[in-house]
Amino acid sequence: MRVEIWSDIACPWCYVGKARFEKALAAFPHRDEVEVVHRSFELDPGRAKDDVQPVLAMLSKKYGMSEAQAQAGEDNLGAQAAAEGLEYRTRGRDHGNTFDMHRLLHFAKEQGRQDELIQLLYRANFAEERSVFSEGTGRLIDIAVAAGLDAAAVREVLADPAAYADEVRADEREAAELGANGVPFFVLDRKYGVSGAQPAEVFTQALSQAWGARSPLKLIDEGGAEACGPDGCAVPQH
């Protein structure tokens, strides 16, 4: 069974939702038969690459709230994250464009290191003091290397704005087609969708329901057709 997760590194609920989903997946009896794929979704796709601002200022402007209200929201998110065993800096974070991160995640998928990279990117953005937005590509390279990727290859991807750009845009178009207008958005076997950072119990129910709904293979066999098996191939007698 495949689970696709549309998310953005700048999305705190994606950070929390991933932890809740993984808690449910860890207890799922068929967890070894579940493939998890991370898909791209930018919350702020029109933001210029060099446009970095404090999170509180961004929230205040975007939602028309005071910085005190924005801070209260961050404090609530910090408590929610802590309940999932996650570190979360409620003060001093910044916000910027995540397109290069999504490009790197597609590269990491090809290398079999996507989950490692997204987890380190989340941690860097939400728990660590160094910014993933204002320190340039060097910061992203360090994170990618820590995830097990080759530094030279990562540097090459980041230096080419077209590298994996189509893959990111394709994910975003697909999200729109599926009706996802926010993240995190979980799609199970292209049959069930779960929107938002739901409690682990909801993900447990969704995993069980999706697993049970898988269509069994329908065999079409008129009988007598030759085939090869573990003991070899049938030899025609005439």
Side-chain angles (χ1 to χ4, degrees):
M1 184 169 73
R2 170 179 281 200
V3 177
E4 296 162 278
I5 307 173
W6 271 264
S7 60
D8 191 8
I9 300 303
C11 164
W13 288 117
C14 296
Y15 180 47
V16 173
K18 182 176 186 292
R20 291 174 177 172
F21 169 76
E22 288 176 346
K23 184 182 293 184
L25 182 61
F28 186 56
H30 308 286
R31 60 185 176 276
D32 293 337
E33 298 173 73
V34 177
E35 176 193 12
V36 178
V37 178
H38 297 282
R39 301 292 192 191
S40 299
F41 189 106
E42 293 173 277
L43 290 174
D44 204 353
R47 180 175 290 271
K49 189 174 180 179
D50 59 353
D51 183 6
V52 180
Q53 67 179 138
V55 165
L56 294 186
M58 179 275 293
L59 291 173
S60 297
K61 181 178 179 181
K62 186 172 183 177
Y63 298 108
M65 61 175 67
S66 68
E67 288 207 1
Q69 290 173 314
Q71 185 61 68
E74 282 291 283
D75 290 340
N76 175 56
L77 274 163
Q80 299 263 6
E84 304 303 330
L86 301 172
E87 295 182 49
Y88 189 99
R89 292 178 66 233
T90 59
R91 286 160 174 77
R93 292 194 306 107
D94 58 11
H95 175 80
N97 183 287
T98 58
F99 189 62
D100 282 348
M101 298 180 209
H102 285 294
R103 295 196 300 115
L104 279 181
L105 284 166
H106 278 278
F107 169 66
K109 181 176 181 293
E110 288 185 352
Q111 308 302 311
R113 310 298 295 180
Q114 190 186 47
D115 195 66
E116 290 82 358
L117 179 58
I118 198 169
Q119 190 61 35
L120 287 179
L121 286 170
Y122 277 140
R123 177 175 176 79
N125 185 38
F126 293 109
E128 298 176 3
E129 289 190 18
R130 292 181 61 194
S131 172
V132 295
F133 299 109
S134 63
E135 293 195 23
T137 58
R139 176 70 166 133
L140 294 183
I141 292 169
D142 289 345
I143 295 169
V145 169
L149 297 170
D150 178 72
V154 170
R155 196 173 288 111
E156 187 175 335
V157 170
L158 290 173
D160 179 6
Y164 301 97
D166 288 345
E167 288 83 348
V168 174
R169 297 307 184 209
D171 275 0
E172 293 174 337
R173 286 194 301 272
E174 196 162 17
E177 291 167 2
L178 290 170
N181 53 17
V183 284
F185 188 72
F186 302 77
V187 176
L188 292 78
D189 254 4
R190 291 298 170 110
K191 293 180 180 177
Y192 297 92
V194 178
S195 180
Q198 300 285 350
E201 294 77 13
V202 174
F203 290 118
T204 296
Q205 180 183 358
L207 285 166
S208 298
Q209 191 169 348
W211 184 268
R214 293 180 312 146
S215 300
L217 181 68
K218 295 182 179 179
L219 184 63
I220 299 174
D221 184 4
E222 298 299 329
E226 291 82 3
C228 295
D231 297 324
C233 300
V235 178
Q237 299 300 309
H238 301 288

